[in-house]
Amino acid sequence: MTLFEKLRCLLTFGQGVALPLPELSANTTPEQLFEQWFTDAHKAGILLPEAMSVSSCSTDGQPSSRMVLLKSYDEQGFVFFTNYASRKSQELAENNKVALLFHWNVLQRQIRIEGTVEKVSEQESADYFHSRDRGSQVGAWASKQSQKLKYDNELKDKMKHFQEKFVQGDVPHPEFWGGWRVKPHAIEFWQGRANRLHERLCFEKQGKQWHNHKLNP
């Protein structure tokens, strides 16, 4: 890339195009690379770098996507929390195949993750639930996520009801609310480049081992 091209990228907030891919060793794991890119996204000042698209699919083959927030990740997978009665949870319970997407435009980077899901433990769900602010805890009780509202102020009325019900003491963790853990078997790191010569680094899990290769853009 020429100096002019680098300057143009910077002036158009495409500074990620000038970033090099890290050097990889035979022992490099996608979890390590995700950690590095996720940290870079935080340092870049991106608002909610933990925002990710979750795509599920119904039993009749209809896909659907929505944005959620990543709450934790490790070598076991990527965790988010939601209402277990929501559309996404119903679809994930019927079809455990799932895809995640992180997109950080300023860095010209995205990460695609494919895998399967499983519910986290009830204790893990309860611990996270009680770490949230009280308003969000009450809101989880008030909202029958993905169901039709019977009238315009139904949600406000239910919020008031549960605020009064739980006015004293801790808000109990509802059994219909908890976490999903995405266990990946394929992760692709996409780095934007000038002239659309983007770099795509893919990891695929075979047994317990990760293997990587590159793809044409």
Side-chain angles (χ1 to χ4, degrees):
M1 183 187 300
T2 66
L3 176 61
F4 174 75
E5 288 174 325
K6 291 182 179 180
L7 290 173
R8 183 177 64 183
C9 289
L10 290 170
L11 291 173
T12 58
F13 296 95
Q15 59 261 45
V17 177
L19 295 173
L21 279 178
E23 292 295 327
L24 300 179
S25 70
N27 298 321
T28 300
T29 67
E31 293 90 359
Q32 293 169 330
L33 188 51
F34 180 88
E35 170 72 22
Q36 181 176 335
W37 278 28
F38 193 59
T39 299
D40 290 343
H42 272 281
K43 291 180 178 179
I46 295 172
L47 181 64
L48 295 178
E50 66 271 28
M52 62 183 183
S53 170
V54 176
S55 296
S56 57
C57 193
S58 65
T59 53
D60 64 2
Q62 176 61 54
S64 60
S65 301
R66 73 288 292 164
M67 300 301 293
V68 304
L69 298 180
L70 175 71
K71 291 304 178 182
S72 66
Y73 61 92
D74 55 25
E75 66 278 359
Q76 298 301 315
F78 302 82
V79 175
F80 66 93
F81 293 85
T82 187
N83 188 311
Y84 284 146
S86 64
R87 175 181 174 179
K88 60 179 170 294
S89 287
Q90 291 177 2
E91 291 182 347
L92 292 173
E94 295 171 349
N95 180 350
N96 71 346
K97 295 181 175 62
V98 65
L100 306 178
L101 173 65
F102 293 87
H103 177 65
W104 301 309
N105 188 53
V106 170
L107 296 176
Q108 287 289 288
R109 284 177 173 175
Q110 70 177 21
I111 301 175
R112 296 174 58 242
I113 299 170
E114 297 178 3
T116 57
V117 293
E118 63 181 17
K119 287 183 178 179
V120 305
S121 69
E122 185 176 350
Q123 186 61 56
E124 189 173 349
S125 292
D127 289 344
Y128 176 70
F129 180 82
H130 288 119
S131 74
R132 307 172 86 206
D133 64 85
R134 190 176 183 84
S136 295
Q137 293 180 42
V138 176
W141 279 95
S143 174
K144 292 186 176 180
Q145 191 173 348
S146 299
Q147 296 188 25
K148 293 181 179 179
L149 289 168
K150 297 177 181 178
Y151 57 93
D152 287 347
N153 291 322
E154 181 184 7
L155 187 59
K156 291 182 180 179
D157 290 348
K158 286 186 175 179
M159 187 70 175
K160 181 179 179 182
H161 166 76
F162 284 107
Q163 285 174 330
E164 294 172 351
K165 181 176 181 178
F166 301 134
V167 67
Q168 295 181 339
D170 295 333
V171 178
H173 166 235
E175 63 181 13
F176 56 79
W177 191 98
W180 288 101
R181 175 175 288 105
V182 176
K183 301 174 73 66
H185 57 69
I187 303 180
E188 178 187 314
F189 296 85
W190 182 96
Q191 175 68 71
R193 293 295 185 220
N195 303 318
R196 303 193 64 81
L197 299 179
H198 314 309
E199 294 187 74
R200 298 173 63 185
L201 176 60
C202 300
F203 288 83
E204 293 183 350
K205 200 167 193 178
Q206 299 174 10
K208 295 183 178 181
Q209 298 297 317
W210 287 101
H211 301 272
N212 65 73
H213 59 271
K214 291 186 177 182
L215 296 177
N216 279 283

